[in-house]
Amino acid sequence: MSVWKHRLIATSFALTMGISSIAHAALPIAVNGDELPSLAPVLETVTPAVVSISVSGTKVSNQQIPEVFRYFFGPEGSPNGAGPQERPFQGLGSGVIIDANKGYVITNSHVIAEADEIIVSLNDGREYEAKVLGSDKETDIALVQIDAKDLHEVKFADSDQLRVGDFVVAIGNPFGLGQTVTSGIVSALGRSGLNIEKLENFIQTDAAINSGNSGGALINLRGELIGINTAIIAPGGGNIGIGFAIPSNMVQNLSEQIVEFGEIRRGVLGVMGGELNSELAEAFGIDSQNGAFVNEVMPDSAASEAGIQAGDIIVSVNAKKVNSFSELRAKIGTMGAGKTVQIGIMRDGKRQTLEVTLKRGDEQNVKAKVMHPALEGALLSAADKEPGVLVSKIERGSPADQNGLEEGDIIVGVNKTDVANLAELRSLFETEPNILALKIKRGDSYLYRILR
């Protein structure tokens, strides 16, 4: 008998009994000899692998001190009156054990950010101090480790197999209440453009997710991990049925890189592009409007070496459909450098598959004009021993030269956002701000150059 028939029979039974009768009668545990449907058997195997995480630490902030009060703070303040202030903080979140033998726990990067102490609390009451193995701010994923025995783990599911309408269950620690379970469905797939993270390819769900659920598990009805809960849209501060989770395939790729290298070695395809719309689809004689349109292929990139061309439409990665450029960027950006992937493209109305070996994003020399016209004439590469992007070469008289860039400059920020590598710089340029203020380290000094 189907789950829906079970529910219909149970509902009909309750209605025919009447409200007053139900108050005095035991509800049935079975209908026609079959047990009533329940998520309890699945949850009994999964909930021991979902943990609560509490963090504490101090944050340093520079606060402007009004002139009239500076006397009370002594002469050590900076000339503009900004004094570093250490403020203690505490936070709560959730996590998921993905390797019981090694004690690996996956959570959100923002849950453990700047924490001096991380305490993982198991469902059975045990508590352990955790150490951070690695994290990735661009996807909001972190991996920590505890030294404990008799742990339970959750197996990864293939998130590319999800469909809108699939039943899901969210498990976490909302508002510090302790482990809480909610259920719902997959509301949408491939959500991006929310400006929550830099690489966005979210699963959207109506399963209730609230503050403290961050880093918790989103599972299917087989008890497999399909996502890590990360964010909600909550105009009033509470759940309104719009929650987001990072797909398990992305999580698995990133955690494997952290385990192997202790860091994320992000793969880069080397294309610039945008979403495929109806006008482009008609112009290129394509019926579908799903895919990533390639505007430009970067020289000496993985894409150019594999034969991808401007005007191609990327429709799949490893035989899995790609619906948008944002989805392509998120999938490629969470695969490791050196990985070989099968890229499906549409060219001249015909389907082709190309084999591409991804390059590491911070090891490429990139002609800066592909990022912004005002940088034409500059060659960019990874800074050697510090975060940032090195200006390794400048053509005299070029736009980059005229905008005041010099060979040896290190770009460390754009507007108010820090930049650690080429991938981050490219991502910021793709937001297309009207004015770009590059923060540059030149020798021991810092300066800004404005690009228009």
Side-chain angles (χ1 to χ4, degrees), residues 114-182:
E114 301 183 59
D116 297 323
E117 184 180 59
I118 303 170
I119 301 297
V120 171
S121 302
L122 304 184
N123 196 31
D124 60 12
R126 290 181 290 167
E127 293 186 348
Y128 298 93
E129 187 167 355
K131 66 177 181 180
V132 178
L133 299 181
S135 65
D136 181 35
K137 290 183 180 180
E138 293 193 18
T139 54
D140 200 18
I141 283 296
L143 186 68
V144 302
Q145 185 178 31
I146 58 175
D147 184 7
K149 304 295 184 183
D150 301 320
L151 297 176
H152 298 264
E153 66 184 42
V154 180
K155 300 296 183 183
F156 283 101
D158 182 358
S159 55
D160 285 334
Q161 299 300 318
L162 284 174
R163 299 174 300 170
V164 173
D166 284 350
F167 287 104
V168 295
V169 178
I171 312 171
N173 178 32
F175 301 111
L177 292 172
Q179 194 172 90
T180 301
V181 176
T182 56

Side-chain angles (χ1 to χ4, degrees), residues 20-354:
S20 60
S21 299
I22 291 174
H24 302 286
L27 290 173
I29 60 173
V31 176
N32 292 341
D34 295 327
E35 290 187 3
L36 291 175
S38 173
L39 294 172
V42 172
L43 294 173
E44 286 168 359
T45 66
V46 176
T47 50
V50 182
V51 303
S52 298
I53 296 178
S54 58
V55 300
S56 59
T58 56
K59 290 184 178 180
V60 178
S61 61
N62 289 321
Q63 293 193 341
Q64 293 297 119
I65 302 172
E67 182 72 35
V68 68
F69 295 125
R70 286 184 203 170
Y71 170 81
F72 299 101
F73 292 90
E76 296 182 0
S78 63
N80 63 359
Q85 302 286 319
E86 285 194 354
R87 297 183 180 275
F89 73 90
Q90 293 181 324
L92 294 171
S94 306
V96 184
I97 300 172
I98 59 171
D99 190 317
N101 293 325
K102 297 181 179 178
Y104 293 156
V105 180
I106 204 81
T107 186
N108 284 145
S109 175
H110 77 261
V111 169
I112 55 93
E114 301 183 59
D116 297 323
E117 184 180 59
I118 303 170
I119 301 297
V120 171
S121 302
L122 304 184
N123 196 31
D124 60 12
R126 290 181 290 167
E127 293 186 348
Y128 298 93
E129 187 167 355
K131 66 177 181 180
V132 178
L133 299 181
S135 65
D136 181 35
K137 290 183 180 180
E138 293 193 18
T139 54
D140 200 18
I141 283 296
L143 186 68
V144 302
Q145 185 178 31
I146 58 175
D147 184 7
K149 304 295 184 183
D150 301 320
L151 297 176
H152 298 264
E153 66 184 42
V154 180
K155 300 296 183 183
F156 283 101
D158 182 358
S159 55
D160 285 334
Q161 299 300 318
L162 284 174
R163 299 174 300 170
V164 173
D166 284 350
F167 287 104
V168 295
V169 178
I171 312 171
N173 178 32
F175 301 111
L177 292 172
Q179 194 172 90
T180 301
V181 176
T182 56
S183 65
I185 63 169
V186 174
S187 305
L189 294 167
R191 287 295 196 214
S192 61
L194 304 174
N195 296 320
I196 299 171
E197 299 162 9
K198 291 184 178 179
L199 295 175
E200 298 183 342
N201 182 32
F202 293 122
I203 301 165
Q204 182 182 327
T205 179
D206 65 347
I209 296 174
N210 288 288
S211 177
N213 270 109
S214 290
L218 190 69
I219 64 170
N220 59 25
L221 296 190
R222 290 187 293 273
E224 300 166 329
L225 188 69
I226 59 173
I228 294 295
N229 303 320
T230 189
I232 58 173
I233 290 179
N239 172 66
I240 60 170
I242 303 178
F244 301 99
I246 304 164
S248 58
N249 287 357
M250 291 175 58
V251 174
Q252 189 169 21
N253 285 335
L254 293 167
S255 60
E256 287 174 353
Q257 291 175 54
I258 292 173
V259 168
E260 185 175 357
F261 306 113
E263 63 179 356
I264 301 300
R265 296 189 175 181
R266 203 175 309 285
V268 171
L269 184 59
V271 298
M272 302 288 284
E275 313 303 344
L276 179 66
N277 55 35
S278 56
E279 290 81 7
L280 282 172
E282 182 178 355
F284 284 82
I286 298 173
D287 294 334
S288 173
Q289 294 185 28
N290 295 323
F293 183 76
V294 178
N295 290 338
E296 187 169 0
V297 177
M298 298 177 187
D300 303 320
S301 66
S304 66
E305 291 176 2
I308 296 176
Q309 301 175 6
D312 287 345
I313 298 166
I314 297 175
V315 294
S316 68
V317 174
N318 287 338
K320 305 291 178 61
K321 184 172 65 173
V322 169
N323 293 302
S324 66
F325 196 86
S326 299
E327 183 179 350
L328 171 71
R329 183 169 56 187
K331 285 187 173 183
I332 294 295
T334 51
M335 292 180 178
K339 288 281 185 71
T340 298
V341 297
Q342 306 296 318
I343 301 293
I345 65 169
M346 293 292 295
R347 181 186 297 167
D348 299 327
K350 296 180 181 179
R351 178 77 175 257
Q352 300 183 38
T353 300
L354 301 175

Side-chain angles (χ1 to χ4, degrees), residues 372-404:
H372 196 280
L375 293 178
E376 183 177 354
L379 191 66
L380 306 179
S381 59
D384 188 18
K385 297 180 180 180
E386 57 187 312
V389 175
L390 174 68
V391 180
S392 53
K393 187 177 180 180
I394 288 284
E395 294 179 11
R396 296 305 168 199
S398 67
D401 183 32
Q402 294 171 9
N403 276 299

